[in-house]
Amino acid sequence: MKILGYFFALLLVLGCKSEKESDTDKSIQPPIAKKTPKELTIHGDTRLDNYFWMRLSDEQKNAETPDSQTQDVLDYLNAENEYLNQAMQHTENLQTHLYSEIVGRIEKDDQSVPVTENGYAYYTRYEEGKEYPLYCRKAIDSTQEEIILNGSKMAEGFAYYGIGNRSVSPNNELLAFGIDTISRRQYTIHFKNLVTGELLEDKLSNTSGSAVWANDNKTVFYATKDPETLRQNKIWKHILGTPQEDDVIVYEETDETFNSGVYKTKSKAYIMIYSGQTLSTEFRYVDANKPDGDWQVIQSRERNLIYQPDHFGDHFYIRTNLDATNFKLVKTPISSTTKDNWEDVIAHRDDVLFEGFELFKNHLVLQERLNGLRTIRVTSWEGEDYYLDFKDPAYVAYTTSNLDFDTNVLRYYYTSLTTPGSTFDYNMDTKEQVLLKQEAVLGGFNSNDYSSERLEAPAADGTKVPVSLVYKKGVTLSSDTPLLLYGYGSYGNSSEPTFRSDRLSLLDRGFVFAIAHVRGGQEMGRYWYEDGKLLNKKNTFTDFINAGEYLVNKGYTSTEHLYAMGGSAGGLLMGAIVNMKPELWHGVIAAVPFVDVVSTMLDESIPLTTFEFDEWGNPKDKTYYDYILSYSPYDNVVAQDYPNMLITTGYWDSQVQYWEPAKWIAKLRDMKTDDNLLVMDCNMETGHGGASGRFERYKRTALYYAFILDLEGIEE
C-alpha cells in the first residue's frame, strides 16, 4: 500500500508516465518530471527549457515553509531518490559489503605526520568509530598532547559539519577556525583561547573559512563572500574583542570576474591580498608587524599576466607567465616590485611546466612537470642543482608542509597508482631521506600485486594523449576485461595518477582503472590547458573518446565492458561524451555534473559564473554562445540510445547547483530511446563535496562501484 500510495501522489505532482517507458515491471517506474515550457532567447536564438521550473533561489531553499514551486522540486528530487533505492535495491547487500570492505582497509585510529611550526608539532588523529578527527599539538620539548579541537564532539547533532582552515596566533595562544554546517562553503570563523580552552565571543560570518594573523596577536584579516554569487570580494580587518559590524574593509574587489583572498608569506613578514581570475592576478601587501599600514600593489593587473609572490630576504620571488607560457621564476627588490624590475631566476622552458617553489635559507626547491609527470628539483643558493629520482611509470610527487624556513630538510609526498601515499623527510645536503609514514592499507595489501602502465592514445588531430592505468597482476587483458576510464580536463587541473585504497574493490574484482589525461588539464604544460578551453573545449571531449577507443582497439576492454566516470567539470565531460559517442560506453557515472552550461554562464547571479568567463567563454558574445551551445550536455540531449547512467548531486551544492543534474536526468529520461538504467542520487543534506564524515562519504563510493559491478554481473 505504501508503494501504491507513493506512486499515486507522484503522478499527481509530476504528470503522466511517458509511453516509451517499459511497462514490464509495474512496481518500479521512474519518476517523470512535469514540463513547464520556458523560452530563453538571446542572439535571435530561442531555446525551450521544459524544466527551468526546478531552479530555486536561496530564499526558497531556506524558507521554513516551502512554497508550491519549492514543494514540487522537493517532491521530484525525493521521487528520484526513491526510484534509485528501488532500482538498486537488489544491490543493497553488495553496497553494504563494498562499504565495509572499503572502510575496512582504513586505519581506524590513524594519525597524520606532525608538522612543526613556531615551537609546536601539529597533527590530526582519529579515534576508532569516530567520523571526525581530533586536532592536536605538542610543544617540541614536551610529550603532553593538547587537543585543540574535537571534531566529532563539535559535529554532534549536525547532518553536515565542515571544519575549515585553522590558524594559530604568533604567540601560540589563540586559534582561529572556520565552521560550515550547510555545505555551501560559507564559514563562520570562531576563536579559541588555547591556554584556557575558552571560546571567545568573536564570530565572523559568511567567510572563506580562513583567518590570517598579524604579528600583534590581536588583528586578523579575512575574506567574505557575496551572499548571492558566493564570490570572495571583500577583505576585512578584525580586532579581537570587537563586534564584526565594526570591522574595516581593507580591500574590495569590484571586478565581478575576479575572486579575492588573503594569506601570509612563509617568512611571516608580510600579509598578502590576492585578486585573481583565469588570465590575470594582482597582489598587494602590508608589513605583518604594521597591520594598520598602507597596502602596496606589487604589480597592477594586466590581461594575460599571471603572477604569485613569496618573500625571502630583501626580495619577492615570483612565479609568473610574463613572456613565459610555461611560467618562470623571477625576483624583484621589495623597494621596486613592478614587472620592469623582475629578474629571471629560473628561465622559461618550452618543455617544462614550472608549477611552484619553496624558499629555504640555503635552498630553493622547484616543482616542475616534465613529460606529464611532476618532479622535484633541488637547488642551493650556491649553485648545486639536481632532481629527485622516482621509478614508477606514473606517479605524483610534490612538496608539502614545509613551514620551517631555516632548515635543510625538505618534506615531500609521493604516491603512484600502486604506491600508497608516502611522506618523506629529505636532507637536501646529504641526499638522505626518511619515510615518515605510508598510508596504511589493512587487509593484506601488497603493492607488488598490481601493475601500472603509461600509454599514449592518438587523438583525432594527431596529438598524443597520455593514459595512466593500473590493474591486478594475473588479470587477463582482453575484450572481456571491464575497464573504468576517469577524466576531468578543465581549469588547468591535472588528473594525477594517485593511489586510492577504495579502488582496490574494483581492481581485485578484475577491473582495470585508467585515467585519460585530456587537454584542458595541464599535464603536458600550459599549452595543454590552452588547447582544452574556450573555443578549443571540444578537444577535451574528443581526447577522452579517442582514449576510450584506443583502449578498446588495443584489447584492454571492449564497448560492452567500458565505463566512464567524471565529476563536476568532469561531469560536463561525461555529459558531452554520452551525447557524442553513446555507443562507446556500457555505463557512465556523472558526479555533481556541470551540464547546463549555456544557462548557467548566462546567469551572473549563480556562484562561480562571472570569474569563469575565461574558462568557458561569455555566451553574451554570440561566438561563445554558439560554441558552448554546440556541446552543452543539457542542450544537446537527443532522441537516441544512451548508456546506463548514474548521476549524483547535492541539494546544497554551491558550485554546480542541484537543478543542473536534475533537469538533465529529466530530459534524458524523456528523450532517450533505450531501456538502459538511468538513476540519480541527490543527497538532500550536502553540497558539492558530499558527506563531511570520514567514512560516511564512502557510502556513495560503494554506490558507484555497485552500479558498474552490477552491470558487469559481478556479485558477492
Side-chain angles (χ1 to χ4, degrees):
M1 292 299 294
K2 289 183 179 179
I3 293 177
L4 290 175
Y6 164 77
F7 278 106
F8 179 72
L10 177 63
L11 291 174
L12 288 176
V13 172
L14 302 177
C16 295
K17 175 180 169 293
S18 170
E19 290 182 359
K20 69 168 177 272
E21 294 291 349
S22 172
D23 288 321
T24 57
D25 188 349
K26 298 293 186 181
S27 65
I28 303 178
Q29 298 293 341
I32 305 301
K34 69 178 182 180
K35 294 182 179 179
T36 306
K38 183 177 180 63
E39 292 186 349
L40 304 170
T41 302
I42 188 174
H43 304 304
D45 180 64
T46 297
R47 293 176 297 130
L48 189 66
D49 190 345
N50 289 320
Y51 307 105
F52 191 88
W53 63 270
M54 292 188 188
R55 178 183 171 175
L56 299 177
S57 67
D58 285 346
E59 290 75 14
Q60 287 175 298
K61 290 175 68 177
N62 288 300
E64 293 184 9
T65 303
D67 60 20
S68 59
Q69 180 191 356
T70 305
Q71 192 61 56
D72 282 354
V73 170
L74 293 173
D75 287 342
Y76 177 67
L77 297 177
N78 288 325
E80 285 288 358
N81 283 337
E82 180 64 22
Y83 175 62
L84 169 77
N85 293 337
Q86 293 187 48
M88 295 293 291
Q89 186 175 17
H90 65 286
T91 70
E92 284 184 0
N93 289 338
L94 176 58
Q95 291 183 55
T96 299
H97 184 84
L98 286 167
Y99 174 76
S100 298
E101 186 177 280
I102 291 168
V103 300
R105 297 190 189 99
I106 301 172
E107 194 85 70
K108 303 305 182 293
D109 54 354
D110 198 14
Q111 179 175 311
S112 68
V113 176
V115 175
T116 301
E117 183 175 27
N118 198 23
Y120 280 84
Y122 291 87
Y123 57 96
T124 60
R125 65 178 178 86
Y126 285 93
E127 295 180 325
E128 188 164 353
K130 301 294 186 181
E131 288 278 356
Y132 297 87
L134 298 168
Y135 298 89
C136 310
R137 72 175 184 176
K138 293 179 182 178
I140 297 300
D141 56 357
S142 173
T143 60
Q144 182 65 40
E145 178 182 79
E146 298 178 39
I147 298 176
I148 57 179
L149 291 177
N150 186 329
S152 292
K153 185 175 181 180
M154 295 162 63
E156 289 178 358
F158 292 93
Y160 178 92
Y161 199 82
I163 300 175
N165 289 342
R166 302 161 306 284
S167 57
V168 177
S169 60
N171 64 6
N172 294 317
E173 295 181 358
L174 299 168
L175 171 71
F177 61 97
I179 299 296
D180 170 21
T181 59
I182 300 297
S183 190
R184 282 183 66 79
R185 302 182 182 181
Q186 291 174 284
Y187 293 86
T188 297
I189 295 174
H190 302 261
F191 295 86
K192 183 177 182 179
N193 187 315
L194 297 178
V195 178
T196 66
E198 295 176 338
L199 286 175
L200 306 187
E201 293 184 0
D202 303 62
K203 291 182 182 179
L204 311 176
S205 62
N206 187 36
T207 78
S208 67
S210 299
V212 179
W213 293 90
N215 291 341
D216 62 2
N217 301 295
K218 67 177 183 179
T219 305
V220 295
F221 296 91
Y222 64 97
T224 58
K225 300 187 175 188
D226 181 286
E228 183 177 21
T229 66
L230 303 187
R231 181 175 68 93
Q232 291 177 200
N233 61 341
K234 295 178 182 178
I235 308 299
W236 301 77
K237 179 173 65 177
H238 174 75
I239 308 297
L240 287 183
T242 63
Q244 185 177 12
E245 52 264 31
D246 290 346
D247 290 354
V248 176
I249 296 177
V250 295
Y251 177 73
E252 180 174 4
E253 180 52 71
T254 57
D255 188 328
E256 292 184 349
T257 68
F258 278 73
N259 206 32
S260 62
V262 60
Y263 70 97
K264 203 172 192 178
T265 59
K266 181 176 178 178
S267 66
K268 311 300 183 186
Y270 295 98
I271 295 170
M272 293 273 182
I273 291 175
Y274 69 83
S275 289
Q277 43 106 290
T278 305
L279 297 177
S280 178
T281 59
E282 182 179 70
F283 288 78
R284 59 199 72 227
Y285 66 95
V286 72
D287 189 328
N289 292 312
K290 301 175 182 178
D292 296 327
D294 295 329
W295 294 81
Q296 306 295 321
V297 175
I298 290 181
Q299 164 63 44
S300 297
R301 68 187 64 180
E302 294 180 8
R303 182 76 171 172
N304 297 316
L305 175 61
I306 300 171
Y307 72 95
Q308 183 171 7
D310 205 348
H311 166 246
F312 173 52
D314 297 327
H315 291 81
F316 287 124
Y317 282 73
I318 300 171
R319 175 182 178 264
T320 182
N321 69 341
L322 178 66
D323 301 322
T325 301
N326 270 339
F327 291 84
K328 63 181 179 180
L329 182 66
V330 302
K331 68 177 182 179
T332 190
I334 295 174
S335 59
S336 305
T337 62
T338 54
K339 67 179 184 180
D340 50 309
N341 298 289
W342 293 359
E343 174 188 346
D344 282 8
V345 177
I346 301 294
H348 174 260
R349 289 150 293 169
D350 286 333
D351 60 341
V352 178
L353 176 65
F354 174 48
E355 293 192 315
F357 62 99
E358 291 273 6
L359 297 167
F360 296 90
K361 181 179 180 180
N362 297 316
H363 297 88
L364 169 66
V365 178
L366 309 173
Q367 296 181 93
E368 301 175 344
R369 191 179 291 270
L370 179 63
N371 296 324
L373 296 172
R374 297 178 73 165
T375 64
I376 298 176
R377 177 180 172 190
V378 178
T379 68
S380 69
W381 296 115
E382 285 74 30
E384 186 180 17
D385 191 338
Y386 61 91
Y387 287 88
L388 274 63
D389 187 31
F390 306 111
K391 303 296 185 183
D392 287 301
Y395 67 86
V396 182
Y398 55 86
T399 64
T400 177
S401 304
N402 290 282
L403 304 180
D404 286 343
F405 177 73
D406 188 4
T407 179
N408 64 349
V409 176
L410 169 73
R411 180 163 294 180
Y412 77 89
Y413 184 87
Y414 179 85
T415 181
S416 74
L417 289 171
T418 59
T419 307
S422 307
T423 302
F424 291 89
D425 269 354
Y426 179 85
N427 189 304
M428 293 180 281
D429 293 328
T430 67
K431 302 181 182 178
E432 297 174 336
Q433 68 179 18
V434 176
L435 174 62
L436 300 176
K437 180 182 179 180
Q438 185 173 87
E439 175 192 341
V441 183
L442 306 183
F445 168 78
N446 186 338
S447 62
N448 293 324
D449 293 339
Y450 302 86
S451 292
S452 67
E453 298 182 33
R454 185 86 160 182
L455 309 174
E456 289 186 335
D461 62 1
T463 301
K464 299 295 185 181
V465 179
V467 178
S468 302
L469 56 85
V470 61
Y471 50 88
K472 192 168 186 177
K473 291 178 180 177
V475 169
T476 301
L477 301 177
S478 71
S479 60
D480 294 326
T481 307
L483 187 149
L484 176 60
L485 182 63
Y486 172 84
Y488 187 76
S490 292
Y491 306 108
N493 293 339
S494 299
S495 298
E496 306 288 14
T498 59
F499 179 87
R500 284 185 54 166
S501 64
D502 60 7
R503 196 180 294 144
L504 298 176
S505 291
L506 291 181
L507 302 183
D508 290 349
R509 288 172 172 83
F511 263 80
V512 176
F513 176 80
I515 303 170
H517 303 282
V518 296
R519 281 174 282 187
Q522 210 160 229
E523 287 91 336
M524 303 302 289
R526 189 71 176 180
Y527 310 96
W528 202 249
Y529 172 45
E530 299 291 343
D531 282 346
K533 60 182 287 196
L534 295 175
L535 299 178
N536 294 320
K537 188 62 205 171
K538 289 183 183 178
N539 285 334
T540 303
F541 316 139
T542 55
D543 281 358
F544 192 85
I545 290 170
N546 293 153
E549 292 172 330
Y550 177 80
L551 292 168
V552 169
N553 294 335
K554 288 296 182 180
Y556 285 88
T557 188
S558 63
T559 57
E560 291 80 11
H561 301 283
L562 178 59
Y563 301 87
M565 180 177 180
S568 195
L572 162 63
L573 171 60
M574 297 300 102
I577 65 166
V578 297
N579 284 335
M580 296 168 66
K581 197 77 172 179
E583 69 276 12
L584 184 59
W585 324 97
H586 186 49
V588 171
I589 299 171
V592 291
F594 175 40
V595 286
D596 191 14
V597 187
V598 177
S599 292
T600 291
M601 294 307 297
L602 282 170
D603 189 343
E604 297 183 10
S605 70
I606 294 177
L608 303 185
T609 294
T610 55
F611 48 92
E612 294 202 352
F613 287 146
D614 288 320
E615 179 70 27
W616 314 104
N618 187 343
K620 291 181 180 178
D621 180 325
K622 189 176 186 305
T623 298
Y624 288 110
Y625 174 83
D626 290 341
Y627 188 77
I628 295 171
L629 183 61
S630 72
Y631 70 74
S632 175
Y634 179 67
D635 294 288
N636 285 279
V637 173
V638 295
Q640 65 179 3
D641 286 359
Y642 282 88
N644 299 283
M645 295 176 63
L646 168 62
I647 300 167
T648 68
T649 187
Y651 185 60
W652 297 100
D653 195 332
S654 61
Q655 288 185 250
V656 178
Q657 310 287 329
Y658 73 87
W659 60 77
E660 292 199 37
K663 290 167 54 179
W664 185 40
I665 193 172
K667 189 173 182 179
L668 281 167
R669 187 169 285 126
D670 179 58
M671 298 192 71
K672 73 190 189 81
T673 55
D674 59 84
D675 292 323
N676 290 329
L677 184 61
L678 176 62
V679 289
M680 183 175 76
D681 176 24
C682 179
N683 191 320
M684 302 302 293
E685 297 176 338
T686 66
H688 199 64
S692 56
R694 181 190 186 197
F695 302 117
E696 184 70 19
R697 69 191 64 177
Y698 290 112
K699 291 182 179 178
R700 183 168 270 181
T701 304
L703 173 64
Y704 294 156
Y705 291 176
F707 175 75
I708 57 177
L709 288 169
D710 182 57
L711 292 174
E712 277 296 304
I714 299 176
E715 302 174 355
E716 292 309 309

